[in-house]
Amino acid sequence: MRPDVLNPYFASITELAGIGPKLARPFNRLLDRPDGARVLDLLLHLPSSAIDRRARPTIAEALPDTVVTLEVTVDQHRPTPRGSRAPYRVHVHDETGDLTLAFFNADRGRMERLLPVGEVRWVSGTITLYDGMRQMTHPDRVVDAAGLAKLPPVEPLYPLVEGLGHGHVRRAVDAALTIARELPEWQDRLPAGSPGFRAALQAVHHPAVPEAAGPDGAAWRRLAYDELLAGQLALALVRSRAVRSTGRSSVGDGRIAARIEAALPFTLTGSQREALAAIRADLASENRMLRLLQGDVGSGKTVVALLAAASVVEAGRQAALMAPTEILARQHLKTIAPIAAAAGLRVALLTGREKGRVREELLAGLRNGEVDLVVGTHALFQEGVAFGDLALAIVDEQHRFGVHQRLALAAKGEAVDVLVMTATPIPRTLVLTYFGDMDSSELREKPAGRKPITTATISSERLHEVVERLGHALREGRRAYWICPLVDESESSDLAAAEARFADLRQHFGSRVGLVHGKMKGAEKDAAMAAFASGETRLLVATTVVEVGVDVPEASIMVIEHAERFGLAQLHQLRGRVGRGEEASTCLLVYRPPLGPIAEQRLRALRESEDGFFLAEQDLKLRGEGDVLGTRQSGFPGFRVARLERHGDLLEAARADAKAVVQEDPDLLGPRGRALRLLLHLFERDVAVKLLDAG
Ligand code: ADP
Ligand code: MG
């Protein structure tokens, strides 16, 4: 499968000179390849920074706390006295002054060989002032004239793990560079003079100036572009095959949609209409729809989804709406059911909880086309679920699902159109990265009558004040959410924290306090939510299960504990649970001091803006590509070289490039196409290569 020219890149690192099985272990850890790192992993392990050894001042000129390389004459050794913990000292000088070299735990014999009295040596390291004397503690390098000729002017530093030093990594990378050969060029849009793939690796690991080892240097940018192009090309190939393989058009006559609109207690916003027009055009076309519907919390995506479903039902076909959680699926059904009933749209619910007879009847209804729209969870794409004629799959809050689930649902019918709704807006760069050339509709306009939410931050040291104010509000008949601390990654301790807070608030406010969390049984969750929605409970203590979808318009206060631990998008999403009704709403972000600088900026951004599109961009800036999408859970491939916050500008170019390639050479058979296959292998987008070979 893999072309032979790539063999050196995919060889085990244990084949490199100097790396035996023992040293391979920390390298496997460093490179996050428990099953054995390959030469390519090592080459793509790029420097974190670089030391500049080009400064060659005299001792008198040398600036403290910067790296300098000094030519000195050795005067005298002062070995550590017995029983003392003082360092071994070596006095040296040049014509401008004196310097002490200090070494801890030094061996006398070794020191005398390294720094023979009376001889000239070059020492490189950082000078500090110690008791008014210039001192260099543990020079990084001590070399003679021959060594100096070989001393690199700039030395890369690497991210490390225990058991490895920079020297180990540098030597291993050098060994890797000696076996890695240059590859046929797959890029044809690089600026003139850009290095080839291997040359770029060489340059970034042997920088001529410190900047050349960094993400803004030409070498790194080339590699980042390579990686982005590989990703975009893979997505474009998948998409071109998906679109090519279809040809069904669903044209509705608008009869159900008109009844739905008539049943709505509001009129659609301009953005909602625009999005619908785009979706209807997609549904009517012979090509398969792959569209993203982006909108801020509360922008009204659900009704757009419902009207999209109506279109295919009018055409005599079926639609499915998949939600990430059971609460959310039920919530959707509850919102949709009365409107659907008024419009003559037959809806049903399918989650893991529907069992036995109910489930059998439901499945039969799906098969024989009696159900027009089914709302559910991942239970929808399990085996045994079959549709009469599924035309549209709507996936809500996509980032909780993997690409696989999305495809699995689409596979339940012939040429199923796919509409993906995101929970909150996703920055454009991430949309491109993970969804590629998917079409996108944005609901930028908020429904009329939304009141702004007042957002404030408050230290947890003043929690008693929060509780006191909450007491007033509850007595006035208001309703509030209290989101419990994210204690750590483990769900059980989060749960414990929620239960403790619940007990505590119950003491204050009695039976008006409810609790809902992810570990509850479905029926218990429903009961807790229903009690809050009806006003039986007025304060709902919750873990982040309420994050998505819950719609209780009477709730007007949101308290979030340990706000500093949540991501920006998540906080915004949580805050969006209030501000949905008549009352002015408040969001209190309770943080535990001291607040770190990034957390501080995050909370400030929330205080200053309610615009999800703006906050999404801020989030990306603050976190880097990080986990904006929760990439790990969703099985999105991460990046090794590209940093979206630095290389976002390259993404557009890579996308256009990939699109052009797929148009001109869809099977990658031309000379550039062949070279691009290598690129797909190098960045492990070979799923796309398999697709090519399968035809
Ligand atoms: P989200 O985009 O977060 O999924 P929802 O679809 O849950 O938003 O809508 C939030 C609330 O706004 C719902 O109560 C819904 O009925 C209401 N809504 C939707 N569209 C409009 C509109 N055009 N005018 C007024 N309210 C609307
Ligand atoms: Mg929603």
Side-chain angles (χ1 to χ4, degrees), residues 250-473:
S250 310
V251 186
D253 56 12
R255 116 194 91 88
I256 301 178
R259 287 198 294 248
I260 290 176
E261 283 200 46
L264 290 174
F266 47 77
T267 55
L268 297 180
T269 63
S271 317
Q272 283 171 322
R273 286 191 193 287
E274 264 168 51
L276 261 171
I279 293 167
R280 285 184 180 138
D282 285 351
L283 294 173
S285 109
E286 295 280 319
N287 286 337
R288 187 163 170 186
M289 173 169 81
L290 287 173
R291 181 173 289 275
L292 207 55
L293 177 60
Q294 297 218 68
D296 210 343
V297 208
S299 60
K301 294 180 287 276
T302 316
V303 62
V304 174
L306 179 62
L307 286 163
S311 266
V312 302
V313 175
E314 288 163 9
R317 306 179 67 195
Q318 292 167 296
L321 168 57
M322 179 163 78
T325 64
E326 206 183 290
I327 285 202
L328 187 53
R330 281 174 198 281
Q331 177 87 43
H332 275 320
L333 188 81
K334 213 180 90 202
T335 333
I336 288 172
I339 300 164
L345 189 76
R346 296 162 300 176
V347 295
L349 179 73
L350 180 62
T351 71
R353 263 164 75 194
E354 276 65 48
K355 295 216 169 77
R357 270 273 301 283
V358 178
R359 186 178 150 90
E360 288 311 314
E361 276 170 25
L362 189 81
L363 292 182
L366 285 178
R367 261 194 314 272
N368 63 28
E370 271 166 28
V371 173
D372 297 320
L373 167 63
V374 61
V375 178
T377 55
H378 53 276
L380 283 176
F381 57 80
Q382 279 159 3
E383 252 176 81
V385 180
F387 291 81
D389 186 9
L390 180 66
L392 172 65
I394 304 165
V395 183
D396 191 13
E397 325 291 4
Q398 149 70 24
H399 64 271
R400 298 217 171 178
F401 290 112
V403 179
H404 298 297
Q405 282 109 315
R406 212 199 309 167
L407 293 177
L409 185 59
K412 290 278 178 193
E414 190 195 327
V416 175
D417 285 317
V418 178
L419 180 68
V420 174
M421 303 197 283
T422 63
T424 50
I426 300 173
R428 174 150 177 81
T429 44
L430 288 188
V431 170
L432 287 181
T433 318
Y434 297 118
F435 300 94
D437 205 15
M438 224 161 156
D439 298 305
S440 165
S441 292
E442 296 176 357
L443 303 182
R444 288 199 176 245
E445 199 179 328
K446 294 211 167 157
R450 287 284 143 82
K451 301 235 167 56
I453 303 170
T454 311
T455 302
T457 46
I458 185 165
S459 154
S460 59
E461 285 160 358
R462 294 167 59 193
L463 200 65
H464 57 279
E465 290 175 41
V466 175
V467 173
E468 210 171 289
R469 272 199 267 167
L470 196 59
H472 283 298

Side-chain angles (χ1 to χ4, degrees), residues 425-563:
I426 300 173
R428 174 150 177 81
T429 44
L430 288 188
V431 170
L432 287 181
T433 318
Y434 297 118
F435 300 94
D437 205 15
M438 224 161 156
D439 298 305
S440 165
S441 292
E442 296 176 357
L443 303 182
R444 288 199 176 245
E445 199 179 328
K446 294 211 167 157
R450 287 284 143 82
K451 301 235 167 56
I453 303 170
T454 311
T455 302
T457 46
I458 185 165
S459 154
S460 59
E461 285 160 358
R462 294 167 59 193
L463 200 65
H464 57 279
E465 290 175 41
V466 175
V467 173
E468 210 171 289
R469 272 199 267 167
L470 196 59
H472 283 298
L474 294 178
R475 275 193 294 281
E476 283 170 11
R478 297 176 66 183
R479 260 177 260 179
Y481 293 101
W482 185 297
I483 305 299
C484 269
L486 200 62
V487 175
D488 57 30
E489 299 292 299
S490 104
E491 225 173 276
S492 53
S493 41
D494 284 355
L495 184 56
E499 279 172 341
R501 181 59 70 209
F502 170 66
D504 180 42
L505 289 168
R506 268 234 155 171
Q507 291 233 312
H508 277 91
F509 306 124
S511 61
R512 284 176 297 177
V513 188
L515 172 69
V516 64
H517 58 71
K519 279 279 159 73
M520 277 179 167
K521 290 224 171 57
E524 284 177 275
K525 261 190 262 183
D526 290 354
M529 290 309 306
F532 185 61
S534 71
E536 191 187 319
T537 55
R538 311 202 139 261
L539 175 61
L540 184 64
V541 177
T543 57
T544 46
V545 289
V546 304
E547 178 192 341
V548 282
V550 171
D551 192 10
V552 179
E554 294 82 2
S556 63
I557 300 171
M558 169 64 67
V559 180
I560 305 173
E561 259 192 273
H562 267 300

